[in-house]
Amino acid sequence: MNPFKYGRVVSADDFCPRPNLLKQLAGFIKSGQNVVLQGERRMGKTSLVYETVRQLKRHRMLYVDLLEIKTADDLCKRMVKALISMEQQAGLLERILKLLSQLRPVVSIDPLTGQPSVSVDAGVRLKPDSLDGILDLVRESHKRTRLVVVFDEFQDILNLVDAKETLAVLRSKVQFHKDIPYIFAGSVRNQMRTIFTDPESAFFKSAIAVDIGPLDREAFAGFLADKFALGKRVVDKDVIAKVIELAENVPGDVQELCEVIWETTAYRDTIHEDCIGPALELIYARESKGYEAALVQLTGQQVRCLVGLARMGGKAPLSAAFIQGVGITGPASIKKALNRLVQLKVVYRHEGEYKFVNPFFKTWLLWKNY
Ligand SMILES: Nc1ncnc2c1ncn2[C@@H]1O[C@H](COP(=O)(O)OP(=O)(O)OP(=O)(O)O)[C@@H](O)[C@H]1O
Ligand SMILES: [Mg+2]
């Protein structure tokens, strides 16, 4: 079985240790300190939280994913669902149902497991102030066994029309839950920054920032070599270094590339650098429709600019060499094209550098000789 996993939470043996971050986060959880956990996409934010709570053993996690939420109603219902699924076994269900009676919860018994499952009446619309009662329940739950409350993809709360009011309600409750650690995890840095560092925001300075970056290269390289060894594949140190470089040191992308290397090699193979090409081609076979769809949305100038980033890197796209290389007159046009590429989430800016959101889109452009 392919030991490389990507696109989902990894834990235990699938989690390459991050001892410092884990210790730091565990410390904050134990002391009830709220944390804002920020990092780029596929860096391992969700996995870090899961693994930390798993290792702590004495805490339960109330995990609420805010990805693509559209309304306060959505948020409330996701919280209720998370609470219900967490409490289902703990005998608190009856109490929750009573407290939530205004949401008209519907209980049904799963015919296979015999377990009750609860859904909230879709006809009931919840408003930001319903959050108040739900957060009281969180506290109630915490009194029984220690909780860690995780709001993942927290930046999406800004999608709500009544985002400001919702954040204010959330903040006013959370600040009284002094012993409950809340973790606000998110990917889009600028938006997360607005929530926690804008003095106008209800959440201004309310949580300690923890940044998550790439894994330690040496530790990750060792972890990956051990996984290859599970199929008696021997892999050169240089090859692993190259893989990490091609995947731009993003753990999820590194694992994706290793997954295809495994798929395109066999038991007892020695993996050399020339194994990387066929592996990348497997990624392209899976993903190139998506790359083509992205290109269709772009103007000729935007495509030239994108190819320029792939060829020359994104450190100095306004330099004379870059402008000459892409054949676009004037930095203003380049700036405009870059802004559009960021807006379309094809590239993002990290420490002043423009980088591909998907590093394999970049290698594909070069491979196709665009
Ligand atoms: N500690 C780790 N050890 C090994 N692989 C990891 C680790 N952390 C992350 N990964 C890899 O990255 C992938 C994404 O991890 P995870 O979902 O935790 O990241 P994320 O930052 O929450 O991503 P997203 O922004 O998509 O929510 C995993 O499936 C795995 O391939
Ligand atoms: Mg995540």
Side-chain angles (χ1 to χ4, degrees):
M1 211 176 58
N2 198 315
F4 297 102
K5 310 215 161 84
Y6 65 96
R8 55 178 140 146
V9 171
V10 286
S11 68
D13 286 347
D14 292 324
F15 183 89
C16 173
R18 287 180 178 273
N20 295 338
L21 266 179
L22 207 133
K23 198 169 151 207
Q24 198 185 14
L25 192 58
F28 289 141
I29 289 173
K30 282 195 225 153
S31 61
Q33 168 68 52
N34 298 341
V35 170
V36 44
L37 178 67
Q38 306 182 84
E40 300 299 345
R41 294 230 71 109
R42 303 181 302 283
M43 208 46 98
K45 300 173 291 293
T46 309
S47 301
L48 174 71
V49 174
Y50 266 84
E51 183 61 12
T52 308
V53 178
R54 191 187 73 86
Q55 288 191 19
L56 277 173
K57 292 196 177 90
R58 295 177 59 193
H59 288 73
R60 291 184 303 161
M61 178 161 66
L62 181 69
Y63 177 83
V64 190
D65 191 346
L66 270 52
L67 188 69
E68 309 263 325
I69 50 162
K70 298 282 182 307
T71 59
D73 174 68
D74 236 358
L75 171 63
C76 293
K77 285 182 181 159
R78 285 193 201 186
M79 288 196 66
V80 169
K81 281 202 163 159
L83 262 169
I84 289 173
S85 77
M86 188 184 72
E87 291 293 11
Q88 230 152 33
Q89 289 95 1
L92 243 197
L93 194 57
E94 228 168 87
R95 181 163 170 70
I96 288 197
L97 293 181
K98 207 166 136 210
L99 280 159
L100 292 176
S101 55
Q102 80 276 19
L103 311 187
R104 288 192 252 135
V106 183
V107 187
S108 52
I109 304 289
D110 185 317
L112 290 177
T113 62
Q115 286 287 324
S117 103
V118 183
S119 55
V120 179
D121 187 332
V124 180
R125 290 273 157 259
L126 301 175
K127 303 217 170 59
D129 55 11
S130 315
L131 261 182
D132 227 61
I134 296 171
L135 288 161
D136 286 340
L137 276 177
V138 169
R139 175 173 222 156
E140 188 84 14
S141 249
H142 178 72
K143 279 192 200 143
R144 293 166 35 99
T145 345
R146 277 182 245 179
L147 281 192
V148 182
V149 184
V150 182
F151 289 111
D152 207 353
E153 307 290 353
F154 190 64
Q155 74 284 336
D156 279 9
I157 205 164
L158 295 173
N159 293 343
L160 309 188
V161 194
D162 35 20
K164 221 172 162 180
E165 192 187 347
T166 308
L167 281 167
V169 173
L170 200 55
R171 163 77 173 127
S172 66
K173 259 328 212 217
V174 164
Q175 69 179 335
F176 291 110
H177 293 182
K178 287 206 163 50
D179 52 343
I180 307 180
Y182 281 83
I183 299 179
F184 306 94
S187 320
V188 188
R189 277 170 184 252
N190 291 337
Q191 292 183 7
M192 285 291 279
R193 203 173 287 144
T194 328
I195 302 174
F196 293 93
T197 59
D198 179 353
E200 298 279 298
S201 161
F203 271 85
F204 181 53
K205 288 195 180 172
S206 63
I208 287 192
V210 173
D211 282 347
I212 169 167
L215 284 156
D216 174 74
R217 268 180 200 250
E218 200 137 313
F220 199 22
F223 169 89
L224 297 169
D226 288 349
K227 295 282 175 207
F228 278 113
L230 291 173
K232 295 269 185 286
R233 287 156 169 85
V234 181
V235 55
D236 262 21
K237 254 198 155 165
D238 295 352
V239 176
I240 293 199
K242 180 85 188 165
V243 165
I244 293 180
E245 187 196 314
L246 282 169
E248 311 213 336
N249 214 355
V250 176
D253 298 327
V254 172
Q255 289 238 38
E256 182 177 358
L257 186 46
C258 289
E259 193 264 350
V260 283
I261 292 178
W262 177 283
E263 285 300 310
T264 47
T265 53
Y267 192 71
R268 290 193 183 283
D269 271 359
T270 299
I271 298 171
H272 301 293
E273 205 164 318
D274 55 9
C275 297
I276 296 178
L280 279 171
E281 283 179 38
L282 180 54
I283 294 186
Y284 304 152
R286 292 174 182 170
E287 297 185 355
S288 63
K289 277 214 163 58
Y291 308 155
E292 278 155 12
L295 286 179
V296 168
Q297 303 180 73
L298 306 178
T299 63
Q301 278 207 346
Q302 288 157 4
V303 173
R304 283 200 332 254
C305 194
L306 187 67
V307 174
L309 292 177
R311 290 220 178 102
M312 292 176 273
K315 285 212 170 99
L318 300 178
S319 66
F322 192 92
I323 292 173
Q324 203 184 19
V326 294
I328 297 174
T329 39
S333 307
I334 296 212
K335 189 87 195 102
K336 218 170 123 197
L338 289 171
N339 286 344
R340 180 73 184 142
L341 293 171
V342 170
Q343 193 191 19
L344 289 170
K345 299 201 168 77
V346 177
V347 302
Y348 68 99
R349 254 187 112 172
H350 176 71
E351 291 169 1
E353 181 180 351
Y354 288 88
K355 297 179 111 174
F356 278 73
V357 169
N358 180 348
F360 308 123
F361 187 12
K362 169 178 159 178
T363 54
W364 178 79
L365 284 170
L366 297 172
W367 179 69
K368 291 283 263 185
N369 217 354
Y370 255 90

